Amino acid sequence: GAGVSQSPRYKVAKRGQDVALRCDPISGHVSLFWYQQALGQGPEFLTYFQNEAQLDKSGLPSDRFFAERPEGSVSTLKIQRTQQEDSAVYLCASSLAGGSIEQYFGPGTRLTVT
Amino acid sequence: AQSVTQPDIHITVSEGASLELRCNYSYGATPYLFWYVQSPGQGLQLLLKYFSGDTLVQGIKGFEAEFKRSQSSFNLRKPSVHWSDAAEYFCAVGVSNFGNEKLTFGTGTRLTIIP
């Protein structure tokens, strides 16, 4: 079946612009996660949804970062007034059910802020 | 809070040789442990996982890992590497609590295969 998909795969933004990154999880997966992977680093947790409820947003680095999943399927990560330090790969993952810890990752969106 | 250490940033191995990638974790209880592989421009693919039970777990592509509680380690092994194994490998620890299911990753080990 189809895996997790993300769009766009690459995004170049000028500093100060707003960006929106989309994640389509595996159909039927209840849990959805966003991670940020800086160059040469491991992924770092940003936020977690169970259906449409955002249960953990402790990893969001600033109030410029906002995530939503209004209907419990597709999710959007929005970054306002982008800064150079926001340049990274943003990974989305989904898992089957709350409490199921096996996560399936999408290919990521590489964001470059110039 | 949990943490993961991968002490080797870069490892070079000859094709056909054996491989061991090290991973140490810090967590107050029995953790859920994972190894993921990431090829350039790709997302993360799960190689194997440990939840409980047998401490030697088998994964895809001929990989295995052993959980050693006394050493807080979960090292990844492969008896004979192939050129296609060249990639970045990440160890991760997870917590399964409703409302807090995030994975914590190590910084990764880059594997280079030489002919």
Side-chain angles (χ1 to χ4, degrees), chain A residues 9-10 31 33 35 37 40-45 48 50 55-56 58 91 95 97-108, chain B residues 32 34 36 38 41-46 49 51 88 90 93-108 110:
Chain A
R9 291 293 311 276
Y10 303 91
S31 298
F33 307 81
Y35 293 85
Q37 186 177 19
Q41 300 296 314
E44 292 191 355
F45 171 80
Y48 159 59
Q50 191 174 120
L55 298 186
D56 187 348
S58 62
L91 295 166
S95 66
S100 167
I101 200 160
E102 186 166 345
Q103 298 178 21
Y104 298 84
F105 283 80
Chain B
Y32 299 96
F34 306 82
Y36 283 88
Q38 186 177 40
Q42 303 297 312
L44 296 166
Q45 181 182 21
L46 180 66
K49 59 186 182 288
F51 285 0
E88 189 92 18
F90 293 95
V93 61
V95 179
S96 185
N97 286 319
F98 286 89
N100 183 12
E101 301 187 347
K102 62 187 178 185
L103 296 178
T104 299
F105 288 85
T107 52
R110 178 176 298 175

Side-chain angles (χ1 to χ4, degrees), chain A residues 44-94:
Chain A
E44 292 191 355
F45 171 80
L46 292 177
T47 187
Y48 159 59
F49 290 86
Q50 191 174 120
N51 295 307
E52 69 278 4
Q54 190 174 20
L55 298 186
D56 187 348
K57 53 182 180 179
S58 62
L60 295 176
S62 77
D63 58 7
R64 297 185 295 104
F65 287 70
F66 172 76
E68 60 183 6
R69 194 186 184 197
E71 298 179 356
S73 56
V74 171
S75 177
T76 303
L77 176 66
K78 298 179 179 178
I79 308 173
Q80 297 176 326
R81 304 180 304 281
T82 52
Q83 303 294 315
Q84 283 194 319
E85 62 262 29
D86 300 334
S87 296
V89 174
Y90 291 85
L91 295 166
C92 176
S94 68

